[in-house]
Amino acid sequence: ADDDELLAMMTNAGFSSTFIGIETPSVESLHECNKVQNKNRNMLHSVLKIQRAGLLVSGGFIVGFDSDSPAVFQQQIDFIQQSGIVSAMVGLLNAPKNTKLYHRLGAENRLITESSGNNTDLSMNFIPRMNPRDLIDGYNKIIHDIYTTRPYYKRVRQLMINYKRKNAKTVSFSYATLQALIRSFLVIGILNRGRGDFWKFIIWTMFIRPGLMADAIEYSIYGYHYRTVYGL
């Protein structure tokens, strides 16, 4: 976000998206994990700048730091919603073997087992400072509040307002593409819960950002995927 030349070079080279480890909007937790490049800045403004340069932003987020308070869950929800980050990968903190965190927790006798390597399976390999039940409940609240249909489509609309595409998206109207389009309309727009929110989003796109209709369909399928994965 601080390098205009890099942003221009990436879009000129054909890049269309980037994954960024945002981790947390909590200043205390950024300090704890030594994420110095995310401190002392307006991260929402930084994400917006990247989106307006023509790059979609997927983000990694973590809860479970020692300095996290119960307020962190709503902070994460608010940041994700306001940023327009459609693919927000939220996970519980784990301590991979041989990391500084792993050694510190071992010295504090807080390690339970080795990390599973999957920070979305509701497991943690150490004893957190926060009550574990409250931490799991807060994590589930984040997932619910960002991926159920109404907040999800609201966030996609925010992205489509922010996003300035630099590279045209080509869509081949093959039989397979048409079949996928019809199937997505049937499953998401007729059979599934939240279909009213889907059609409101499609109509909004037709009138406000018609040039991004292909993206709108793609993001709708993303949302269906996330709701299926998380059982929402």
Side-chain angles (χ1 to χ4, degrees), residues 13-203:
F15 284 91
S16 60
S17 63
T18 181
F19 181 88
I20 298 176
I22 293 173
E23 318 311 351
T24 176
S26 166
V27 175
E28 294 82 5
S29 298
L30 286 174
H31 178 76
E32 180 183 328
C33 66
N34 200 32
K35 195 80 174 189
V36 294
Q37 63 269 40
N38 288 4
K39 293 165 58 179
N40 302 316
R41 67 167 63 244
N42 184 327
M43 287 197 292
L44 283 173
H45 182 268
S46 295
V47 171
L48 176 62
K49 184 175 179 182
I50 295 168
Q51 292 167 334
R52 287 187 171 167
L55 293 170
L56 297 172
V57 175
S58 297
F61 299 86
I62 295 176
V63 292
F65 294 108
D66 283 356
S67 54
D68 278 348
S69 73
V72 76
F73 306 115
Q74 191 61 48
Q75 290 174 353
Q76 292 276 28
I77 293 166
D78 292 343
F79 182 93
I80 292 167
Q81 287 297 110
Q82 293 168 23
S83 69
I85 294 177
V86 173
S87 295
M89 316 305 185
V90 187
L92 291 165
L93 182 65
N94 273 265
K97 194 172 183 179
N98 294 327
T99 59
K100 186 182 293 185
L101 175 63
Y102 182 90
H103 293 307
R104 176 172 71 81
L105 293 171
E108 296 173 1
N109 294 317
R110 294 170 59 194
L111 285 175
I112 302 171
T113 183
E114 300 300 330
S115 172
S116 69
N118 181 354
N119 67 351
T120 62
D121 63 0
L122 300 182
S123 70
M124 299 182 75
N125 69 327
F126 69 95
I127 301 169
R129 293 283 188 215
M130 191 183 299
N131 178 282
R133 186 68 261 167
D134 292 342
L135 185 52
I136 296 295
D137 288 346
Y139 172 80
N140 285 328
K141 174 178 170 56
I142 294 175
I143 298 302
H144 177 274
D145 286 8
I146 66 174
Y147 282 124
T148 48
T149 53
R150 184 168 296 178
Y152 177 77
Y153 288 122
K154 181 178 180 180
R155 185 163 79 257
V156 177
R157 285 196 293 270
Q158 184 62 56
L159 168 67
M160 294 171 75
I161 291 170
N162 296 350
Y163 184 42
K164 306 297 181 185
R165 179 182 290 284
K166 303 297 182 183
N167 301 305
K169 187 167 190 171
T170 58
V171 180
S172 59
F173 289 98
S174 64
Y175 173 74
T177 302
L178 182 61
Q179 190 177 40
L181 180 63
I182 293 172
R183 186 176 180 184
S184 65
F185 277 6
L186 173 65
V187 173
I188 304 172
I190 297 176
L191 299 179
N192 268 232
R193 290 180 300 175
R195 51 190 173 270
D197 295 319
F198 168 76
W199 289 114
K200 288 176 185 176
F201 169 61
I202 294 299
I203 293 169

Side-chain angles (χ1 to χ4, degrees), residues 206-225:
M206 288 174 58
F207 285 98
I208 306 300
R209 296 304 303 273
L212 296 179
M213 182 56 73
D215 298 270
I217 300 300
E218 183 176 338
Y219 300 146
S220 298
I221 295 171
Y222 284 4
Y224 171 76
H225 164 76

